[in-house]
Amino acid sequence: MRDLGAGFGHLLKGQRWVARHGRSYGFGLLPGLITLVLYAAALVGLALWGSDFVAWATPFADDWSSPWPGLFRGFLTAVLFALALLLAVLTFTAVTLLVGQPFYESLSERVDRDVSPDGTAPESNLPLLRELWISGRDSLRILVRAAGWGVLLFALGFIPIVGQTVVPVIGFFVTGFFLTEELASVALQRRGVELRDRLALLRSRKRLVWGFGTPLGVAFLVPFVAVFLMPGAVAGATLLARELLGEETRDGDDDRSEGGSTDPAVSSGPASAY
Protein backbone atom coordinates (compact mmCIF):
# COMPACT_ATOMS: atom_id res chain seq x y z
CA MET A 1 0.00 0.00 0.00
CA ARG A 2 2.87 2.36 0.72
CA ASP A 3 4.15 2.00 -2.86
CA LEU A 4 0.68 2.74 -4.22
CA GLY A 5 0.56 5.92 -2.14
CA ALA A 6 4.10 6.86 -3.19
CA GLY A 7 3.23 6.43 -6.86
CA PHE A 8 0.16 8.64 -6.50
CA GLY A 9 2.30 11.11 -4.56
CA HIS A 10 4.69 11.43 -7.51
CA LEU A 11 1.72 12.18 -9.76
CA LEU A 12 0.58 14.97 -7.44
CA LYS A 13 4.11 16.34 -7.06
CA GLY A 14 4.47 16.51 -10.83
CA GLN A 15 1.26 18.52 -11.13
CA ARG A 16 2.41 20.87 -8.37
CA TRP A 17 5.78 21.30 -10.07
CA VAL A 18 4.28 22.50 -13.36
CA ALA A 19 1.83 24.70 -11.46
CA ARG A 20 4.86 26.58 -10.08
CA HIS A 21 6.50 26.80 -13.51
CA GLY A 22 3.93 28.45 -15.74
CA ARG A 23 6.13 28.72 -18.81
CA SER A 24 7.03 25.05 -18.82
CA TYR A 25 3.37 24.18 -18.33
CA GLY A 26 2.22 26.42 -21.16
CA PHE A 27 4.63 25.00 -23.72
CA GLY A 28 3.91 21.48 -22.47
CA LEU A 29 0.25 21.89 -23.42
CA LEU A 30 0.92 22.37 -27.14
CA PRO A 31 1.69 18.73 -28.11
CA GLY A 32 -1.36 17.49 -26.20
CA LEU A 33 -3.64 19.97 -27.94
CA ILE A 34 -2.37 18.91 -31.37
CA THR A 35 -2.84 15.22 -30.55
CA LEU A 36 -6.27 15.85 -29.05
CA VAL A 37 -7.52 17.44 -32.27
CA LEU A 38 -6.31 14.43 -34.29
CA TYR A 39 -7.86 11.88 -31.92
CA ALA A 40 -11.12 13.81 -31.62
CA ALA A 41 -11.49 13.87 -35.40
CA ALA A 42 -10.90 10.10 -35.57
CA LEU A 43 -13.42 9.33 -32.79
CA VAL A 44 -16.05 11.64 -34.29
CA GLY A 45 -15.59 9.89 -37.62
CA LEU A 46 -16.02 6.52 -35.93
CA ALA A 47 -19.16 7.73 -34.15
CA LEU A 48 -20.65 8.96 -37.43
CA TRP A 49 -19.76 6.03 -39.66
CA GLY A 50 -19.08 3.20 -37.20
CA SER A 51 -22.55 1.72 -37.62
CA ASP A 52 -22.16 1.73 -41.41
CA PHE A 53 -18.86 -0.10 -41.07
CA VAL A 54 -20.38 -2.72 -38.77
CA ALA A 55 -23.30 -3.23 -41.16
CA TRP A 56 -20.86 -3.68 -44.04
CA ALA A 57 -18.78 -6.16 -42.00
CA THR A 58 -21.80 -8.29 -40.96
CA PRO A 59 -23.79 -9.03 -44.15
CA PHE A 60 -24.79 -12.40 -42.69
CA ALA A 61 -27.13 -10.61 -40.26
CA ASP A 62 -29.26 -9.15 -43.08
CA ASP A 63 -31.47 -12.25 -43.19
CA TRP A 64 -32.12 -12.36 -39.44
CA SER A 65 -35.60 -11.56 -38.21
CA SER A 66 -36.24 -8.23 -36.52
CA PRO A 67 -35.07 -6.91 -34.06
CA TRP A 68 -31.96 -9.11 -33.90
CA PRO A 69 -29.90 -7.47 -36.68
CA GLY A 70 -30.30 -4.04 -35.08
CA LEU A 71 -29.51 -5.29 -31.57
CA PHE A 72 -26.52 -7.31 -32.75
CA ARG A 73 -25.04 -4.51 -34.83
CA GLY A 74 -25.77 -1.93 -32.17
CA PHE A 75 -23.87 -4.05 -29.66
CA LEU A 76 -20.91 -4.46 -32.04
CA THR A 77 -20.88 -0.71 -32.76
CA ALA A 78 -20.76 0.06 -29.04
CA VAL A 79 -17.97 -2.48 -28.52
CA LEU A 80 -16.03 -1.05 -31.47
CA PHE A 81 -16.27 2.47 -30.08
CA ALA A 82 -15.30 1.29 -26.58
CA LEU A 83 -12.26 -0.52 -27.98
CA ALA A 84 -11.29 2.56 -29.99
CA LEU A 85 -11.61 4.66 -26.85
CA LEU A 86 -9.39 2.24 -24.92
CA LEU A 87 -6.78 2.31 -27.69
CA ALA A 88 -6.98 6.10 -27.73
CA VAL A 89 -6.20 6.20 -24.01
CA LEU A 90 -3.35 3.72 -24.42
CA THR A 91 -1.80 5.49 -27.41
CA PHE A 92 -2.53 9.13 -26.60
CA THR A 93 0.51 9.41 -24.36
CA ALA A 94 2.85 7.77 -26.88
CA VAL A 95 1.69 9.97 -29.75
CA THR A 96 1.76 13.13 -27.63
CA LEU A 97 5.27 12.35 -26.40
CA LEU A 98 6.41 11.74 -29.97
CA VAL A 99 4.88 15.01 -31.17
CA GLY A 100 6.28 16.95 -28.22
CA GLN A 101 9.63 15.21 -27.78
CA PRO A 102 11.73 18.42 -27.56
CA PHE A 103 9.26 20.06 -25.16
CA TYR A 104 8.94 17.12 -22.77
CA GLU A 105 12.65 16.33 -22.92
CA SER A 106 13.38 19.88 -21.82
CA LEU A 107 10.69 19.77 -19.12
CA SER A 108 12.03 16.49 -17.74
CA GLU A 109 15.59 17.84 -17.66
CA ARG A 110 14.45 20.91 -15.78
CA VAL A 111 12.69 18.75 -13.19
CA ASP A 112 15.89 16.72 -12.77
CA ARG A 113 17.95 19.87 -12.24
CA ASP A 114 15.41 21.25 -9.80
CA VAL A 115 15.31 18.19 -7.52
CA SER A 116 18.89 16.95 -7.94
CA PRO A 117 21.10 17.80 -4.92
CA ASP A 118 23.87 19.01 -7.25
CA GLY A 119 21.54 20.76 -9.69
CA THR A 120 22.50 18.60 -12.69
CA ALA A 121 20.49 16.46 -15.09
CA PRO A 122 21.55 13.40 -17.12
CA GLU A 123 21.85 14.08 -20.86
CA SER A 124 21.54 11.61 -23.69
CA ASN A 125 23.87 13.55 -26.02
CA LEU A 126 22.03 11.99 -28.97
CA PRO A 127 20.90 13.99 -32.02
CA LEU A 128 17.20 14.91 -31.98
CA LEU A 129 16.39 12.71 -34.99
CA ARG A 130 18.04 9.74 -33.28
CA GLU A 131 16.02 10.37 -30.12
CA LEU A 132 12.82 10.61 -32.16
CA TRP A 133 13.64 7.34 -33.91
CA ILE A 134 14.27 5.52 -30.62
CA SER A 135 11.15 7.00 -29.04
CA GLY A 136 8.97 6.08 -32.01
CA ARG A 137 10.40 2.57 -32.23
CA ASP A 138 9.91 1.88 -28.53
CA SER A 139 6.42 3.40 -28.56
CA LEU A 140 5.45 1.06 -31.40
CA ARG A 141 6.70 -1.93 -29.42
CA ILE A 142 4.72 -0.82 -26.40
CA LEU A 143 1.65 -0.27 -28.58
CA VAL A 144 1.87 -3.85 -29.85
CA ARG A 145 2.05 -5.13 -26.28
CA ALA A 146 -0.83 -2.90 -25.18
CA ALA A 147 -2.92 -3.94 -28.19
CA GLY A 148 -2.35 -7.59 -27.26
CA TRP A 149 -3.65 -6.90 -23.77
CA GLY A 150 -6.56 -4.97 -25.25
CA VAL A 151 -7.61 -7.89 -27.45
CA LEU A 152 -7.32 -10.31 -24.52
CA LEU A 153 -9.39 -8.09 -22.22
CA PHE A 154 -11.91 -7.54 -25.00
CA ALA A 155 -12.38 -11.30 -25.33
CA LEU A 156 -12.60 -11.78 -21.55
CA GLY A 157 -15.26 -9.07 -21.44
CA PHE A 158 -17.78 -11.56 -22.86
CA ILE A 159 -17.55 -13.74 -19.74
CA PRO A 160 -20.72 -13.15 -17.69
CA ILE A 161 -20.30 -11.14 -14.48
CA VAL A 162 -16.48 -11.38 -14.50
CA GLY A 163 -16.32 -9.56 -17.82
CA GLN A 164 -18.34 -6.66 -16.45
CA THR A 165 -16.63 -6.38 -13.05
CA VAL A 166 -13.13 -7.85 -12.78
CA VAL A 167 -11.98 -7.32 -16.36
CA PRO A 168 -12.52 -3.51 -16.41
CA VAL A 169 -10.50 -3.20 -13.20
CA ILE A 170 -7.66 -5.24 -14.70
CA GLY A 171 -7.90 -3.03 -17.77
CA PHE A 172 -7.30 0.10 -15.72
CA PHE A 173 -4.21 -1.41 -14.09
CA VAL A 174 -2.85 -2.53 -17.48
CA THR A 175 -3.50 0.93 -18.88
CA GLY A 176 -1.77 2.49 -15.87
CA PHE A 177 1.31 0.35 -16.35
CA PHE A 178 1.76 1.21 -20.01
CA LEU A 179 0.99 4.89 -19.42
CA THR A 180 3.70 5.02 -16.78
CA GLU A 181 6.19 3.30 -19.07
CA GLU A 182 5.58 5.84 -21.83
CA LEU A 183 5.86 8.81 -19.49
CA ALA A 184 8.89 7.54 -17.57
CA SER A 185 10.65 6.71 -20.84
CA VAL A 186 11.36 10.43 -21.30
CA ALA A 187 13.65 10.43 -18.26
CA LEU A 188 14.86 6.82 -18.52
CA GLN A 189 15.76 7.00 -22.20
CA ARG A 190 17.83 10.11 -21.46
CA ARG A 191 19.75 7.96 -18.96
CA GLY A 192 20.41 5.28 -21.58
CA VAL A 193 17.97 2.72 -20.13
CA GLU A 194 16.77 0.47 -22.96
CA LEU A 195 13.15 -0.65 -23.34
CA ARG A 196 13.69 -4.17 -22.01
CA ASP A 197 15.47 -2.82 -18.94
CA ARG A 198 12.76 -0.16 -18.47
CA LEU A 199 10.04 -2.82 -18.44
CA ALA A 200 12.00 -4.96 -15.97
CA LEU A 201 12.53 -1.91 -13.76
CA LEU A 202 8.82 -1.06 -13.78
CA ARG A 203 7.79 -4.66 -13.09
CA SER A 204 10.07 -4.70 -10.04
CA ARG A 205 7.91 -1.94 -8.46
CA LYS A 206 4.45 -2.68 -9.87
CA ARG A 207 2.55 -1.11 -6.97
CA LEU A 208 4.52 2.11 -7.33
CA VAL A 209 3.78 2.10 -11.07
CA TRP A 210 0.08 1.35 -10.56
CA GLY A 211 -0.23 4.07 -7.95
CA PHE A 212 1.06 6.57 -10.50
CA GLY A 213 -0.46 5.33 -13.76
CA THR A 214 -3.85 3.86 -12.81
CA PRO A 215 -5.47 7.07 -11.48
CA LEU A 216 -3.91 8.91 -14.40
CA GLY A 217 -5.44 6.44 -16.85
CA VAL A 218 -8.86 6.91 -15.22
CA ALA A 219 -8.47 10.68 -15.44
CA PHE A 220 -7.49 10.43 -19.10
CA LEU A 221 -10.94 8.98 -19.85
CA VAL A 222 -12.45 12.40 -19.11
CA PRO A 223 -12.47 14.52 -22.29
CA PHE A 224 -9.70 17.15 -22.48
CA VAL A 225 -8.24 16.19 -19.09
CA ALA A 226 -5.29 14.36 -20.66
CA VAL A 227 -4.13 17.54 -22.38
CA PHE A 228 -3.94 19.53 -19.15
CA LEU A 229 -2.42 16.73 -17.08
CA MET A 230 0.31 15.73 -19.56
CA PRO A 231 2.98 18.29 -18.55
CA GLY A 232 2.57 17.41 -14.87
CA ALA A 233 2.48 13.70 -15.71
CA VAL A 234 5.88 14.00 -17.43
CA ALA A 235 7.25 15.90 -14.44
CA GLY A 236 5.87 13.31 -12.01
CA ALA A 237 7.19 10.42 -14.11
CA THR A 238 10.65 11.98 -13.93
CA LEU A 239 10.42 11.93 -10.13
CA LEU A 240 9.20 8.32 -10.28
CA ALA A 241 12.11 7.36 -12.54
CA ARG A 242 14.55 8.83 -10.04
CA GLU A 243 13.05 6.67 -7.28
CA LEU A 244 13.14 3.55 -9.44
CA LEU A 245 16.84 4.13 -10.07
CA GLY A 246 17.59 4.98 -6.45
CA GLU A 247 18.73 8.52 -7.24
CA GLU A 248 18.80 11.00 -4.41
CA THR A 249 16.05 13.57 -4.73
CA ARG A 250 15.67 16.75 -2.72
CA ASP A 251 12.41 18.55 -2.07
CA GLY A 252 11.76 20.71 -5.10
CA ASP A 253 9.31 23.06 -3.36
CA ASP A 254 12.06 25.60 -2.77
CA ASP A 255 12.57 26.10 -6.52
CA ARG A 256 16.01 27.58 -6.97
CA SER A 257 15.50 27.90 -10.73
CA GLU A 258 12.58 30.33 -10.55
CA GLY A 259 13.80 33.39 -12.34
CA GLY A 260 17.32 31.92 -12.42
CA SER A 261 19.62 30.64 -15.07
CA THR A 262 17.70 27.40 -15.56
CA ASP A 263 14.72 29.20 -17.02
CA PRO A 264 14.10 27.51 -20.38
CA ALA A 265 14.19 30.81 -22.21
CA VAL A 266 17.84 31.39 -21.34
CA SER A 267 19.32 27.97 -20.69
CA SER A 268 21.36 26.05 -23.20
CA GLY A 269 20.89 22.61 -24.68
CA PRO A 270 17.48 21.06 -25.35
CA ALA A 271 15.69 23.67 -23.25
CA SER A 272 16.37 26.18 -26.00
CA ALA A 273 13.44 24.61 -27.83
CA TYR A 274 11.26 26.89 -25.75
Side-chain angles (χ1 to χ4, degrees):
M1 288 299 293
R2 186 166 65 179
D3 265 358
L4 286 173
F8 185 65
H10 287 314
L11 179 60
L12 295 180
K13 288 177 183 177
Q15 301 303 324
R16 288 200 299 268
W17 191 93
V18 296
R20 297 195 309 273
H21 300 77
R23 184 177 297 178
S24 294
Y25 179 67
F27 278 100
L29 289 177
L30 294 177
L33 289 172
I34 295 171
T35 308
L36 177 65
V37 171
L38 296 176
Y39 272 62
L43 289 174
V44 168
L46 183 61
L48 292 176
W49 295 294
S51 58
D52 294 335
F53 172 77
V54 170
W56 171 81
T58 57
F60 54 85
D62 291 340
D63 298 330
W64 295 0
S65 60
S66 180
W68 297 114
L71 291 175
F72 175 69
R73 286 168 173 164
F75 171 74
L76 288 183
T77 300
V79 169
L80 178 65
F81 191 82
L83 182 60
L85 190 61
L86 174 61
L87 289 176
V89 172
L90 289 173
T91 61
F92 181 88
T93 302
V95 174
T96 303
L97 289 174
L98 189 61
V99 171
Q101 177 77 16
F103 298 101
Y104 295 134
E105 190 78 22
S106 177
L107 189 154
S108 178
E109 283 190 22
R110 191 177 179 197
V111 172
D112 268 323
R113 288 194 299 269
D114 189 39
V115 302
S116 175
D118 58 3
T120 62
E123 298 182 5
S124 66
N125 296 318
L126 293 175
L128 177 59
L129 290 179
R130 177 62 178 170
E131 289 186 351
L132 289 174
W133 162 254
I134 294 174
S135 178
R137 180 198 63 190
D138 290 349
S139 293
L140 182 59
R141 292 175 177 175
I142 289 297
L143 176 59
V144 171
R145 293 171 182 262
W149 274 97
V151 172
L152 176 61
L153 293 173
F154 173 73
L156 293 177
F158 289 99
I159 300 177
I161 301 178
V162 174
Q164 293 75 48
T165 54
V166 177
V167 172
V169 174
I170 296 175
F172 281 123
F173 279 98
V174 171
T175 300
F177 181 89
F178 286 117
L179 275 177
T180 304
E181 194 286 326
E182 288 287 352
L183 291 163
S185 68
V186 177
L188 293 175
Q189 182 179 311
R190 186 156 38 83
R191 289 163 166 82
V193 182
E194 297 292 337
L195 176 60
R196 179 176 298 180
D197 296 327
R198 291 202 301 266
L199 290 173
L201 191 63
L202 293 171
R203 292 191 190 105
S204 69
R205 299 285 299 277
K206 288 181 181 177
R207 290 184 177 87
L208 181 70
V209 172
W210 288 335
F212 180 91
T214 302
L216 186 63
V218 174
F220 275 16
L221 291 175
V222 181
F224 309 112
V225 167
V227 174
F228 297 102
L229 292 184
M230 270 297 292
V234 173
T238 302
L239 299 175
L240 183 140
R242 294 182 66 90
E243 178 170 345
L244 287 172
L245 295 172
E247 297 177 359
E248 186 179 355
T249 299
R250 73 177 188 87
D251 187 355
D253 289 336
D254 54 331
D255 179 21
R256 61 187 168 212
S257 67
E258 191 71 16
S261 61
T262 56
D263 187 281
V266 297
S267 60
S268 60
S272 61
Y274 287 110

